[in-house]
Amino acid sequence: MAAGRDGIVRVCFVFGTRPEVIKCAPVIRCLSQREGFEVQTVLTAQHREMSDQVIEVFGVPVTVDLDLMRAGQTLPSLTARLCEGVSGAIQQLKPDCVMVQGDTTSCFVGALAGFYAGIAVGHLEAGLRTSDVRQPFPEEMNRRLVGSLASFHFAPTEGARTNLLKENVPADRIWVTGNSGIDALRIVSETAIVAAGTALADVLAGCDGLVMTVTSHRRENQPFMAGIASAIYELIEAVPNLHVVFPVHLSPAVRKAVMPILSGVDRCHLLEPLAYDQFVALMKRSDVILTDSGGIQEEAPYLGKPVLVMRRKTERPEAVEAGTTILVGDDQATIFDRTLGLLNDAEERVRMAKAANPYGDGYASERVADVLAGAFGGR
Ligand code: UD1
Ligand code: UDP
């Protein structure tokens, strides 16, 4: 592939949600420092506040802001708005390569728009798979579709590479780089401390026992969200020195289920979504993490924190194999039992907390930049 019209390789990142910004930010930083590359960014703002929050933490430059979020957006309406918006931005920016990350609707449509425009597509975090196209929904389908649309597949692990090979992605289009989310964590985690005078600082100052951090937002968990909140309520009642810190996702479906059950409950601290560095500081202070998040399943092993994953299936089996994460499903009684068991078993927490790091050494971005430089002739 040739470099752009004036010898400069223009790489256009399309992203819209919190985790995409976190995982693209180190790659953007790395490519921006390479001679011969120009980085462009299209922020779909599928998440308005939550993507702005991380853009600020990492100082990510935004070339085009499509500002597409609508409260309570449906998948079809979001997809339609994205398709027109991202295609228009690509037409305007004329990149040599479109980069997307992960499995969100912004990621899928970014890849589709690049494909429609006849531009090479790079996929960060390629090759994650569960065995069920509806778990997680719609992310599993999104990443399979992006796997068909992309020309550069940046797989975080050997397992992800194997998944792509099984789907007949040519071996010479796959690079095992590690996950750029670990780059972000490496950059932030050593210095991440809770900022004084914040709600989080006040909460942690009052936590004298066990700290359990909770996050939940998966669409396929929405029918179970009230059950998840009830399990947390029961855990607080059962463990007298437990403090739950729960930064609640801005999704109205999550808030509607969680708030009526957990608002005002003693030792349950419901917070607004935390800036990334603040959330990392909270994870470092936690004894246990209970979540259905994808990214947190990668971050917690790096930080040596035990994680209980509220999902039936995970596309991140490496952390389960390493022993730092356990799948507990979406059923209220099981979540309660398994979490109570871990909260009452300090030795098991120590066993699980052994830092394992199956998702990379924190230098995935350099490898991605090397691949693009080799392919396009950037320096
Ligand atoms: C999306 C991704 C999911 C990712 C998650 C990260 C898809 C299909 N899903 O979840 O893979 O794990 O983001 O958090 O792309 N909202 C705000 N402000 C924000 C963010 C959200 O008000 O900053 C509200 C809006 O009402 C929005 C709703 O939350 O409609 C849900 O946002 P959406 O992007 O649709 O979230 P998910 O699809 O649940
Ligand atoms: N995160 C954050 N603030 C919070 C909660 C999470 O910055 O209040 C970070 C977390 O460290 C991880 C990412 O957001 O890097 C995960 O995002 P989310 O769970 O929304 O999406 P997923 O990873 O499931 O796609």
Side-chain angles (χ1 to χ4, degrees):
M1 285 178 217
R5 42 205 181 273
D6 47 8
I8 301 288
V9 184
R10 290 180 174 78
V11 182
C12 179
F13 289 78
V14 177
F15 46 66
T17 68
R18 172 171 70 188
E20 293 166 81
V21 178
I22 292 169
K23 290 171 170 178
C24 286
V27 187
I28 289 170
R29 185 183 286 191
C30 180
L31 268 182
S32 304
Q33 288 164 357
R34 296 251 180 150
E35 210 187 319
F37 282 101
E38 182 186 310
V39 170
Q40 308 166 327
T41 57
V42 175
L43 171 65
T44 69
Q46 175 182 338
H47 283 178
R48 180 72 272 174
E49 296 84 357
M50 286 161 64
S51 60
D52 286 348
Q53 213 177 18
V54 256
I55 278 171
E56 195 185 324
V57 169
F58 287 99
V60 174
V62 175
T63 317
V64 175
D65 184 344
L66 295 173
D67 197 19
L68 287 177
M69 192 190 86
R70 302 287 178 273
Q73 57 208 357
T74 62
L75 289 176
S77 67
L78 174 64
T79 305
R81 287 199 306 279
L82 282 168
C83 207
E84 292 228 331
V86 177
S87 293
I90 287 177
Q91 228 170 21
Q92 176 197 331
L93 298 173
K94 299 186 176 36
D96 303 296
C97 177
V98 170
M99 290 287 278
V100 294
Q101 193 285 329
D103 53 21
T104 67
T105 304
S106 290
C107 166
F108 159 55
V109 178
L112 185 64
F115 177 76
Y116 283 163
I119 295 166
V121 173
H123 187 201
L124 299 168
E125 200 176 87
L128 273 61
R129 298 288 183 271
T130 66
S131 52
D132 182 345
V133 286
R134 292 196 163 263
Q135 300 267 346
F137 177 86
E139 291 81 3
E140 180 67 18
M141 181 55 82
N142 284 347
R143 53 189 171 229
R144 290 186 192 201
L145 294 169
V146 178
S148 298
L149 294 164
S151 321
F152 298 93
H153 304 260
F154 298 109
T157 63
E158 281 298 333
R161 179 173 182 275
T162 305
N163 292 337
L164 291 166
L165 290 172
K166 279 189 206 151
E167 292 172 14
N168 299 320
V169 176
D172 64 356
R173 307 311 307 164
I174 308 170
W175 292 268
V176 178
T177 56
N179 196 311
S180 57
I182 302 298
D183 300 22
L185 192 55
R186 178 182 60 76
I187 293 163
V188 167
S189 66
E190 262 179 41
T191 52
I193 50 163
V194 177
T198 57
L200 178 62
D202 289 347
V203 163
L204 290 179
C207 290
D208 42 7
L210 292 169
V211 173
M212 180 166 81
T213 294
V214 177
T215 79
S216 182
H217 72 277
R218 299 241 74 85
R219 274 172 190 265
E220 70 278 10
N221 270 350
Q222 284 173 7
F224 311 108
M225 210 65 86
I228 289 171
S230 300
I232 293 164
Y233 181 88
E234 289 165 3
L235 286 162
I236 291 168
E237 285 208 314
V239 185
N241 68 342
L242 175 65
H243 287 261
V244 168
V245 187
F246 188 166
V248 186
H249 198 280
L250 292 179
S251 166
V254 176
R255 298 196 152 222
K256 215 168 88 188
V258 165
M259 299 299 199
I261 297 168
L262 292 176
S263 286
V265 172
D266 194 29
R267 291 182 284 115
C268 184
H269 312 283
L270 301 182
L271 301 175
E272 292 304 310
L274 293 167
Y276 177 64
D277 58 328
Q278 296 303 289
F279 187 73
V280 171
L282 170 62
M283 285 195 286
K284 283 163 63 173
R285 169 69 180 81
S286 302
D287 297 286
V288 171
I289 299 171
L290 179 65
T291 188
D292 60 12
S293 162
I296 295 170
Q297 291 177 63
E298 297 153 351
E299 293 165 343
Y302 179 93
L303 297 171
K305 296 293 172 183
V307 188
L308 299 172
V309 181
M310 297 182 287
R311 292 198 196 185
R312 293 181 191 179
K313 298 203 168 140
T314 181
E315 60 293 278
R316 291 164 170 94
E318 298 86 355
V320 177
E321 284 151 22
T324 34
T325 70
I326 297 176
L327 281 185
V328 296
D330 49 27
D331 166 64
Q332 178 181 337
T334 315
I335 292 170
F336 173 79
D337 286 344
R338 301 291 298 269
T339 311
L340 183 64
L342 189 60
L343 289 168
N344 284 334
D345 189 344
E347 279 181 21
E348 178 61 8
R349 289 204 303 277
V350 171
R351 261 197 302 280
M352 284 181 72
K354 291 220 170 59
N357 184 17
Y359 298 109
D361 59 0
Y363 293 90
S365 308
E366 298 290 342
R367 295 186 189 98
V368 171
D370 287 346
V371 170
L372 294 178
F376 289 96
R379 283 151 288 167

